[in-house]
Amino acid sequence: MFLPAGYINKPAFINGQMENRQIILFFDKLTSVISNRRLVKLVLSSQRDRSSDLKSIIITIVEIKKGVRLNFVYRHKTNDITKNFDVEEAMAIVKKSLEEDFFNADLFSGEETLRLLITGNGKVKIRSNRTELKPVASFSHDRLKERIIATENNVYLKELGVLNSGFEVRNDMKDKYLQINNYIGLLAPFISELELPEGFHVADMGSGKGYLTFALYDYLTGTLGKTPLMTGVESKKDLVKLSNEIAKKASFTNLKFVHGTISEVALEKIDILIALHACDTATDDAIFRGIASGASLIVCAPCCHKQVRKAFHVTGALKPVTKHGILEERQAEIITDAIRALILEAHGYKTKVFEFISTEHTPKNVMIVGRKIPGKPAAMKKSLDQVRAIKELFGIEQHYLEGLCMGITNIE
Ligand SMILES: C[S@@+](CC[C@H](N)C(=O)[O-])C[C@H]1O[C@@H](n2cnc3c(N)ncnc32)[C@H](O)[C@@H]1O
């Protein structure tokens, strides 16, 4: 591209136009990695307005029947929102976001990481690092219809009753289909950050009918071209049998469902653990299995919070807070999940707790994500002191997960 010398020292944008050579080169590179399908992710961060509720935007590439789309995860303080845009719209949004909302853009491609930094007075710098990250997907499978999870010839969605015999989403299953896609959209950026070994193992604890287990396996193998082993753990025998039959029909050879309890089932080393709506302390059993196995990613959406609710012995000024059943329930939910996040942190996980976007399917929509950061020292003492202080305040003798993790001593 011909760039007159005057572009070099100009500010990033003037009246919405890209004026600086560095920023033009950055957008050229972005366009090129998108068209070559080598975009791993683009992260817009470092807010211009620190009080803004929007903390960052993570952009990955997906291909649907209509063509390539960019999947935007808008990370707000308390929830994440996902949206797909075509490439042209996406580029305009990225440009506007860099002009108005964020100072930094990190572009991860197959071969390098480019960091664009815009200063307060509009000056621009680019830093480049070679990187080991692999491109996110082989797009040879054009299997998607309008969402990340394809409907076209999708055997498991048909068998699960989400699609009719013509592979169309059934009217009464639209919410379910959206929920499945939403969930994969939320997980995608976390997965893209991981360095996973060959044949890595994914465990879905309390897999139920397996909607999300199948969709995640499909995404990992079909969209990302990875070769995981995946295990769904479920205590109901009939669901295990049904899910294994569907896995066979879908030719998902490395996906199996096993009958057993989360706490006791024998499993090989877990790299990614998910547990969605596993009841009460079953979520703690799952988190414990993940921590004990040194899983790189633990994702859970807790269900009920009975253990802590029963353990409350609140006195003094806090008493009115738990006087009303609904407030006591909400309080138990907050305390239970806050302690879960602290225990994950105690064991070297970076945590994020947020609301799923869609509340129409379930009111249980808080998600706890723990990412193991290699080399990050576990904040064992600090986190466990904070757990102790919370317990004292609410008169709780023990959080169930704490008891499970007592045996793990080799982390700090
Ligand atoms: C509410 S369903 C959620 C299913 C699925 N994860 C989803 O989000 O669609 C919870 C499932 O976990 C199973 N479950 C609960 N506790 C369990 C345990 N301790 N061990 C194994 N499965 C369990 C239940 O049988 C049920 O099928």
Side-chain angles (χ1 to χ4, degrees):
M1 173 191 287
F2 170 73
L3 290 166
Y7 275 73
I8 294 170
N9 292 319
K10 289 210 171 173
F13 301 97
I14 296 176
N15 298 330
Q17 299 301 311
M18 293 193 290
E19 288 291 330
N20 183 286
R21 174 192 168 101
Q22 306 275 51
I23 212 152
I24 292 171
L25 291 177
F26 183 85
F27 273 82
D28 272 0
K29 180 75 184 178
L30 178 59
T31 311
S32 142
V33 296
I34 291 170
S35 58
N36 296 333
R37 312 287 192 269
R38 294 193 67 76
L39 176 69
V40 175
K41 64 178 173 179
L42 173 70
V43 181
L44 307 184
S45 63
S46 185
Q47 301 152 290
R48 286 175 179 265
D49 172 5
R50 289 194 157 263
S51 64
S52 164
D53 192 45
L54 179 63
K55 300 293 172 201
S56 63
I57 305 178
I58 301 173
I59 300 153
T60 48
I61 192 165
V62 290
E63 185 154 329
I64 62 176
K65 202 178 179 192
K66 291 177 193 158
V68 169
R69 294 288 183 273
L70 290 161
N71 177 255
F72 281 51
V73 177
Y74 290 85
R75 294 225 149 135
H76 291 88
K77 208 168 170 187
T78 54
N79 66 344
D80 289 358
I81 297 173
T82 58
K83 285 184 188 165
N84 282 351
F85 297 103
D86 68 31
V87 176
E88 201 178 316
E89 277 175 308
M91 296 300 257
I93 295 169
V94 170
K95 198 180 108 207
K96 194 158 188 288
S97 302
L98 281 173
E99 208 180 338
E100 295 176 1
D101 305 318
F102 298 105
F103 286 120
N104 293 358
D106 289 288
L107 171 60
F108 299 85
S109 68
E111 61 284 336
E112 68 176 332
T113 306
L114 270 192
R115 166 162 273 209
L116 177 82
L117 300 124
I118 305 174
T119 63
N121 59 9
K123 294 280 158 56
V124 182
K125 276 188 205 151
I126 293 188
R127 291 195 197 127
S128 165
N129 285 323
R130 302 300 294 176
T131 168
E132 296 296 312
L133 282 175
K134 293 188 181 73
V136 80
S138 140
F139 281 86
S140 54
H141 315 74
D142 180 5
R143 294 159 67 258
L144 304 188
K145 199 170 181 185
E146 292 190 347
R147 300 257 160 196
I148 302 174
I149 297 299
T151 53
E152 209 167 34
N153 297 326
N154 188 318
V155 173
Y156 67 87
L157 284 183
K158 182 160 77 71
E159 292 295 324
L160 288 167
V162 176
L163 306 180
N164 61 22
S165 55
F167 295 99
E168 289 154 341
V169 181
R170 292 158 66 123
N171 276 341
D172 56 345
M173 292 303 268
K174 281 188 175 147
D175 282 354
K176 192 75 193 168
Y177 180 61
L178 284 177
Q179 187 209 21
I180 292 169
N181 278 283
N182 235 334
Y183 160 80
I184 300 297
L186 285 175
L187 277 186
F190 293 113
I191 292 171
S192 75
E193 283 172 358
L194 301 175
E195 297 219 3
L196 293 160
E198 197 56 33
F200 64 93
H201 183 211
V202 184
D204 182 3
M205 302 299 209
S207 48
K209 267 188 95 175
Y211 295 106
L212 303 174
T213 335
F214 285 112
L216 181 57
Y217 184 87
D218 186 10
Y219 175 72
L220 289 170
T221 56
T223 308
L224 298 190
K226 294 183 182 289
T227 51
L229 292 174
M230 195 153 168
T231 312
V233 175
E234 173 53 53
S235 58
K236 291 187 184 135
K237 250 188 182 159
D238 53 336
L239 291 182
V240 173
K241 184 169 175 285
L242 178 73
S243 306
N244 275 324
E245 283 165 7
I246 297 176
K248 205 167 172 189
K249 284 185 190 161
S251 302
F252 285 175
T253 42
N254 286 331
L255 169 61
K256 65 175 189 299
F257 292 84
V258 294
H259 176 235
T261 60
I262 296 169
S263 57
E264 286 171 358
V265 73
L267 292 175
E268 48 207 290
K269 187 198 174 319
I270 302 164
D271 296 293
I272 298 178
L273 180 138
I274 60 171
L276 299 167
H277 305 135
C279 327
D280 196 20
T281 52
T283 293
D284 298 304
D285 288 327
I287 295 175
F288 169 67
R289 294 291 304 254
I291 294 175
S293 200
S296 306
L297 180 66
I298 297 177
V299 179
C300 57
C303 183
C304 40
H305 300 74
K306 295 191 194 106
Q307 187 259 323
V308 161
R309 189 172 177 182
K310 284 187 208 140
F312 274 156
H313 290 103
V314 179
T315 52
L318 277 176
K319 204 144 177 67
V321 175
T322 53
K323 191 173 88 178
H324 303 283
I326 180 67
L327 299 182
E328 188 185 40
E329 191 180 324
R330 299 243 168 105
Q331 196 61 60
E333 195 176 321
I334 291 169
I335 301 301
T336 307
D337 292 339
I339 293 181
R340 283 171 174 155
L342 282 169
I343 292 176
L344 278 164
E345 284 161 23
H347 292 281
Y349 287 82
K350 191 170 173 192
T351 57
K352 192 166 162 47
V353 179
F354 56 97
E355 227 176 28
F356 296 61
I357 172 62
S358 149
T359 47
E360 74 266 31
H361 186 72
T362 169
K364 307 284 179 192
N365 66 346
V366 166
M367 197 171 252
I368 303 174
V369 176
R371 286 167 289 161
K372 187 114 191 144
I373 307 295
K376 180 181 184 289
M380 181 75 88
K381 184 170 179 326
K382 183 176 163 220
S383 305
L384 294 187
D385 281 350
Q386 288 172 339
V387 170
R388 211 167 296 123
I390 296 173
K391 286 194 311 173
E392 257 175 49
L393 195 61
F394 287 88
I396 300 164
E397 202 170 304
Q398 195 173 60
H399 186 295
Y400 180 78
L401 179 58
E402 223 187 342
L404 294 176
C405 289
M406 266 174 183
I408 306 177
T409 52
N410 59 339
I411 311 279
E412 202 162 12

